[in-house]
Amino acid sequence: MSHTVITQLINQLEHILLGKPLQIKLAVACILAKGHLLIEDLPGMGKTSLSHAIATSLGMSYQRIQFTSDMLPADILGVSIYDKTQQQFTFHKGPVFNQMLLADEINRASPKTQSALLEAMAEQQITQDGTTYPLPNPFFVIATQNPQDQSGTFALPESQLDRFMMRISIGYPSPEAEMTMLKNQQHGHKQAPIQQCISPSDLLTLQAEVNQVSTSDAVLKYLLALVEMSREQKQATGLSPRASLALLQAAKAWAVIEQRNYLVPEDIQAVFHAVAEHRISAHSIFQGKALSDTLLASVNPIR
């Protein structure tokens, strides 16, 4: 079942975001690994389109929030309103109580508003007015952000960045993909409606399959060698134990996509940049050669 539905999901997303198979596979791996996804790129690159397509393909309840500088935490979490008839405050749930929250241009909101998502992303619950409310299962946040050098943006705090399992960039389309897009627009070809490929219950089954992927000591030593190397870099923040766990889980999800029930070093290499770069370097992924690529080149797999 897993191979068929995952292939169907990836194929459908590739019709939405043309010419970006790697980014789509990383996004799917992030979801299978129970991680939150941050998509950083210039405006108009397809970030929101990909987010909507993922949510619809998975058949999840979702809501999109356009983050702005005047947004308050209550706009995300909800607010308590006094009910005159019952003479008590009643909590009205916010958009975060969907299975998937699409946080569009998250870095246009203030750090205070961004931090409203910390508990939700880390513990799948929120606390409001002293009461804790569980969030749906599964629960994901897919956030988009513009590069930090764009006007009107606030840098995401390191604690917020660390809650995202992966950060990816879509990048400009290839000339062939952009030509196809322009021809479809010119001839009035309508995009086929997005079909649900996986139900939320099936997704939970796939996530359990990810947990069953076997891992050898040699592969774990390779992963830890990369982590240790990151901690020796003077110009970077070393990867934390939470990052190590995220790297392992994301690599397992990649193995499932590749139709394997065991982990190999190539799985770690495939997801390493997306999992590690925003943790070791908070700067924009557009600025020069990524430090994560340097780490990969410095550590050899243990066979």
Side-chain angles (χ1 to χ4, degrees):
M1 187 271 287
S2 61
H3 171 54
T4 302
V5 296
I6 291 174
T7 301
Q8 183 182 357
L9 172 61
I10 291 175
N11 289 341
Q12 176 161 264
L13 294 177
E14 286 180 345
H15 283 90
I16 304 299
L17 192 64
L18 301 177
K20 298 295 177 181
L22 174 60
Q23 289 84 344
I24 288 172
K25 284 181 68 175
L26 286 170
V28 171
C30 187
I31 298 298
L32 294 181
K34 301 183 182 181
H36 306 292
L37 178 65
L38 178 62
I39 308 175
E40 181 186 64
D41 221 315
L42 298 167
M45 303 296 280
K47 303 186 299 294
T48 304
S49 297
L50 176 60
S51 303
H52 276 286
I54 292 173
T56 305
S57 299
L58 297 178
M60 291 182 166
S61 65
Y62 71 96
Q63 187 166 341
R64 172 183 173 270
I65 306 177
Q66 179 64 50
F67 278 62
T68 57
S69 59
D70 59 350
M71 177 177 284
L72 299 174
D75 296 326
I76 304 170
L77 306 180
V79 63
S80 295
I81 300 177
Y82 187 73
D83 189 332
K84 290 184 178 180
T85 59
Q86 299 184 11
Q87 295 187 344
Q88 64 180 17
F89 284 92
T90 302
F91 180 62
H92 293 256
K93 295 180 177 180
V96 76
F97 284 89
N98 286 277
Q99 291 174 317
M100 184 170 287
L101 179 68
L102 306 182
D104 210 6
E105 296 187 310
I106 189 173
N107 60 336
R108 292 201 179 275
S110 67
K112 178 180 179 180
T113 301
Q114 294 174 17
S115 65
L117 287 171
L118 287 176
E119 182 183 13
M121 296 172 69
E123 303 177 40
Q124 205 166 327
Q125 65 180 31
I126 69 158
T127 302
Q128 194 78 337
D129 299 327
T131 303
T132 298
Y133 301 90
L135 296 176
N137 187 35
F139 171 74
F140 300 102
V141 174
I142 297 182
T144 69
Q145 73 168 351
N146 296 324
Q148 293 177 21
D149 56 0
Q150 295 274 299
S151 61
T153 60
F154 298 86
L156 269 65
E158 284 78 1
S159 58
Q160 179 71 65
L161 279 171
D162 195 42
R163 296 305 193 277
F164 288 101
M165 176 175 281
M166 289 189 187
R167 180 180 69 173
I168 64 173
S169 171
I170 294 175
Y172 289 112
S174 66
E176 295 77 15
E178 197 159 10
M179 176 66 78
T180 300
M181 180 188 69
L182 294 174
K183 284 185 175 180
N184 290 341
Q185 178 73 16
Q186 180 180 1
H187 297 299
H189 293 162
K190 293 186 177 180
Q191 184 175 287
I194 302 173
Q195 303 294 327
Q196 178 180 339
C197 302
I198 303 174
S199 68
S201 59
D202 288 338
L203 179 58
L204 294 175
T205 301
L206 289 172
Q207 290 172 341
E209 185 176 330
V210 169
N211 290 332
Q212 298 303 314
V213 172
S214 62
T215 309
S216 68
D217 287 348
V219 174
L220 286 179
K221 288 179 180 178
Y222 174 57
L223 186 152
L224 288 175
L226 288 169
V227 171
E228 289 296 330
M229 180 67 73
S230 76
R231 296 169 183 172
E232 296 174 2
Q233 306 300 309
K234 295 181 179 179
Q235 72 274 33
T237 301
L239 294 173
S240 67
R242 179 191 289 158
S244 301
L245 293 171
L247 181 57
L248 177 60
Q249 198 69 7
K252 286 183 175 182
W254 189 272
V256 169
I257 293 175
E258 294 294 321
Q259 304 177 48
R260 278 185 281 97
N261 62 356
Y262 58 90
L263 206 61
V264 296
E266 287 74 16
D267 298 322
I268 297 172
Q269 294 165 359
V271 302
F272 187 73
H273 180 90
V275 174
E277 185 63 24
H278 63 290
R279 292 179 165 93
I280 57 182
S281 175
H283 297 293
S284 171
I285 51 182
F286 299 98
Q287 296 177 0
K289 183 176 176 61
L291 181 56
S292 56
D293 294 334
T294 303
L295 294 174
L296 282 175
S298 302
V299 180
N300 294 319
I302 301 172
R303 301 292 183 178

